[in-house]
Amino acid sequence: MHANWKTVLKGAAGCILAVILVKAFLVTSCFIPSSGMENTLYQGEGVLISKWSYGLRMPFPSVFGYHRIGSCEVEEGDIVLFNDPNPANPDKRIEGREVFISRCIGTAGDTLLLNKELIDTENEVWSPDNKALYVYPAAQEDAVQAILEAVEIHDNLLVGYTEDGGFIRSFSRYEWYLVSQKAGKGITFTPLNAKLADEVHPYVVPRKNMSVTVYPWNVVLLCNTIVSHEGKQAMVKGDTLWVEGKPVRSYTFTKNYYWMASNDPVNLSDSRLFGFVPEEYIIGKAWRIWFTVRKGRFMQRVE
């Protein structure tokens, strides 16, 4: 009997060790905490993350330094798991920080056209599930509700109001197709981004050894990146960037960065909140859905 217990304990220890090794070096998982990636990933779903998609980030980078085995770059359109680049406690180790999952729409060296809300206006890598904001007159709310019921779009709630009293909703491309076809010319929908089109500016995503020019519209973002991730003192005076006590018109970065975006522009858990994501914060690529309550989604590949 005593020998049997030893066998059981050895087997249990072996299983625990195998799980730890798999999670550390092959695959990890996360649960989707919000509605930010709908309709690609739904809140509460469990997702497997491949740690080898961009090369294996070696454990404890805060202790042993940042290293990857078989390093390769994130690609546009990838849904990526990464550690929080801008936590409330900046002294917290990278590997111990909260994780986010978003779609990469800007890789190192890319130029994005962002409006004043830092929403990309011309990117082509968005999935059909990506959502956009639309405005319509408050007087047409009953008609919109009727259309949503007719096309069987459920749980689509108002997300806000414009200064002139218009109602705002978010629709994915497919949802917008259904709604617009049903509405015809009877309802006046206006894309919210159209109101911001005259305030679009180019933003360069920093690449290692790349010099990025400082402009009034990107100076704060660049300053925050230099302070948080380049390890140098920087500040903004007027529209001028000062680095290590000297005014600069450009800055050469020491690492690669990425720009992450949620599917739903209402959800701010992306680069609009924490800026550029450095390469050492990347954990891996979303692979398959392993837990869901929605029919037909179990073990579905994440696209």
Side-chain angles (χ1 to χ4, degrees):
M1 191 71 174
H2 183 66
N4 288 340
W5 274 110
K6 281 187 175 181
T7 301
V8 170
L9 288 174
K10 287 181 179 179
C15 289
I16 293 172
L17 180 60
V19 170
I20 292 174
L21 290 175
V22 167
K23 187 172 182 180
F25 295 104
L26 295 177
V27 177
T28 188
S29 71
C30 71
F31 285 94
I32 306 303
S34 69
S35 60
M37 289 306 295
E38 294 183 358
N39 297 329
T40 302
L41 297 170
Y42 291 92
Q43 187 172 5
E45 288 188 324
V47 180
L48 294 175
I49 307 296
S50 170
K51 288 193 167 186
W52 280 93
S53 297
Y54 312 117
L56 176 67
R57 184 181 75 175
M58 296 305 293
F60 306 110
S62 296
V63 179
F64 302 111
Y66 169 63
H67 303 283
R68 282 189 190 272
I69 298 176
S71 178
C72 56
E73 295 184 1
V74 178
E75 296 183 358
E76 286 187 354
D78 287 355
I79 296 180
V80 180
L81 184 73
F82 53 94
N83 294 106
D84 185 358
N86 188 27
N89 178 11
D91 294 327
K92 193 171 185 179
R93 292 178 176 177
I94 294 175
E95 60 274 11
R97 296 180 181 182
E98 183 181 2
V99 294
F100 290 101
I101 188 165
S102 298
R103 188 182 297 278
C104 176
I105 66 166
T107 62
D110 287 347
T111 298
L112 302 175
L113 292 176
L114 307 180
N115 61 28
K116 70 175 185 178
E117 305 294 334
L118 295 183
I119 296 175
D120 189 67
T121 60
E122 294 191 357
N123 202 286
E124 297 298 326
V125 302
W126 297 92
S127 78
D129 293 329
N130 199 72
K131 296 188 176 185
L133 300 176
Y134 295 88
V135 181
Y136 57 91
Q140 296 181 326
E141 170 63 7
D142 289 343
V144 171
Q145 289 280 9
I147 289 174
L148 293 177
E149 183 175 347
V151 298
E152 298 184 348
I153 296 178
H154 307 294
D155 301 323
N156 186 293
L157 304 177
L158 285 173
V159 298
Y161 308 90
T162 62
E163 294 180 356
D164 57 3
F167 283 14
I168 305 174
R169 289 183 186 270
S170 65
F171 297 109
S172 69
R173 292 184 183 181
Y174 179 63
E175 290 171 339
W176 171 241
Y177 170 78
L178 296 177
V179 169
S180 61
Q181 290 295 307
K182 192 71 175 177
K185 297 182 179 180
I187 299 178
T188 307
F189 285 105
T190 303
L192 185 60
N193 282 349
K195 297 178 178 293
L196 306 171
D198 59 341
E199 300 182 51
V200 171
H201 295 291
Y203 286 76
V204 174
V205 183
R207 187 179 68 235
K208 185 176 180 179
N209 297 326
M210 177 183 189
S211 179
V212 178
T213 303
V214 179
Y215 296 103
W217 57 83
N218 71 354
V219 62
V220 173
L221 180 59
L222 295 182
C223 179
N224 293 340
T225 305
I226 292 167
V227 171
S228 298
H229 306 302
E230 294 284 310
K232 293 188 176 181
Q233 293 182 346
M235 66 175 64
V236 177
K237 296 179 182 179
D239 289 334
T240 303
L241 175 63
W242 291 67
V243 179
E244 300 291 328
K246 297 179 180 180
V248 299
R249 294 183 179 180
S250 64
Y251 179 83
T252 301
F253 286 83
T254 63
K255 62 183 75 172
N256 293 322
Y257 292 84
Y258 300 94
W259 188 264
M260 304 295 180
S262 302
N263 273 1
D264 193 339
V266 176
N267 187 286
L268 291 174
S269 297
D270 58 20
S271 285
R272 289 171 294 163
L273 174 65
F274 42 68
F276 297 117
V277 179
E279 57 190 343
E280 68 265 28
Y281 286 74
I282 303 295
I283 298 172
K285 181 180 178 181
W287 178 38
R288 291 187 183 273
I289 299 167
W290 70 268
F291 175 81
T292 182
V293 296
R294 294 175 179 268
K295 186 177 180 181
R297 290 178 61 81
F298 178 68
M299 294 310 292
Q300 178 178 312
R301 181 178 288 274
V302 178
E303 302 290 350

